[in-house]
Amino acid sequence: MHLTTLAGHALSRGRTPADTYALLARRTRKPLPSARAVCLALTTPLAETLRRLSECHDALLANPRTGSETDTGELLEALGVFDVPASLTDTELAVVDLFLLAIDAMGGIRPGHQHGLHRWFTTGNLTAAYLSLAAARPLPRTGNPTLYWTTLVTAGELLTTTPNPDTRITYALTHCRTQATRT
């Protein structure tokens, strides 16, 4: 049976992408094809799948140790290799553009925060991204607080126009408006 079909079957039975990877990698002893099969079963486009796997190939997939399949699957999942790209509306794309402008106005961002934001953009979890940015602050020396907060106000206003917006967005938007008036 084709690995992608096996991955799809395992996923349809409720296995996580990490568990599915571990199952395939243990059976085949071929980590790269196993990871590729999981991505493709999750409907990640082939070009994006290859890009993601090339980024972690040397560190995680090139020289696998027997018995490390579960750990490797969990790492691949944590790195976002198995994230399913969301199809964003024009409004959501505009919000992402505003988030990117706000990130530039921060004047610097921790790598872990940037990684989390990238994953939320990919999966379409814009609420989590907004809440994360609203809780952060621009750096005192390199950031542009005025641009940062006004950009987040605009992004929050767009997010509240979506059907059934998360109530946390309203509170975060109020916080961003308060910060914008202080700059």
Side-chain angles (χ1 to χ4, degrees):
M1 190 179 268
H2 192 264
L3 276 181
T4 304
T5 304
L6 283 172
H9 180 72
L11 291 165
S12 73
R13 297 287 198 180
R15 284 189 178 264
T16 66
D19 289 339
T20 301
Y21 165 81
L23 173 74
L24 295 177
R26 264 193 297 280
R27 286 186 180 178
T28 65
R29 301 279 180 233
K30 296 179 180 176
L32 181 61
S34 298
R36 184 174 42 242
V38 173
C39 290
L40 295 175
L42 291 167
T43 68
T44 303
L46 179 60
E48 177 64 11
T49 294
L50 297 175
R51 184 193 66 75
R52 291 178 186 186
L53 293 175
S54 72
E55 289 179 354
C56 63
H57 178 266
D58 292 344
L60 295 174
L61 303 171
N63 299 306
R65 288 188 335 244
T66 302
S68 67
E69 297 86 3
T70 299
D71 292 340
T72 301
E74 290 172 0
L75 278 169
L76 291 169
E77 194 160 26
L79 290 170
V81 171
F82 300 136
D83 285 352
V84 177
S87 183
L88 301 179
T89 66
D90 289 341
T91 300
E92 291 169 329
L93 290 170
V95 169
V96 170
D97 286 342
L98 288 166
F99 288 164
L100 294 173
L101 182 59
I103 291 166
D104 285 343
M106 281 180 93
I109 187 168
R110 291 182 338 273
H113 191 191
Q114 185 172 6
H115 175 71
L117 288 167
H118 177 74
R119 290 190 69 193
W120 291 325
F121 297 165
T122 299
T123 60
N125 190 348
L126 302 185
T127 297
Y130 185 70
L131 297 175
S132 175
L133 288 168
R137 301 172 221 242
L139 294 175
R141 292 186 182 173
T142 56
N144 181 338
T146 303
L147 180 59
Y148 183 75
W149 294 114
T150 57
T151 301
L152 288 182
V153 166
T154 304
E157 289 170 348
L158 281 175
L159 285 171
T160 60
T161 66
T162 61
N164 304 313
D166 190 313
T167 55
R168 297 173 298 168
I169 293 173
T170 305
Y171 294 116
L173 176 55
T174 301
H175 169 72
C176 292
R177 283 185 177 135
T178 300
Q179 294 301 317
T181 59
R182 291 182 181 170
T183 58

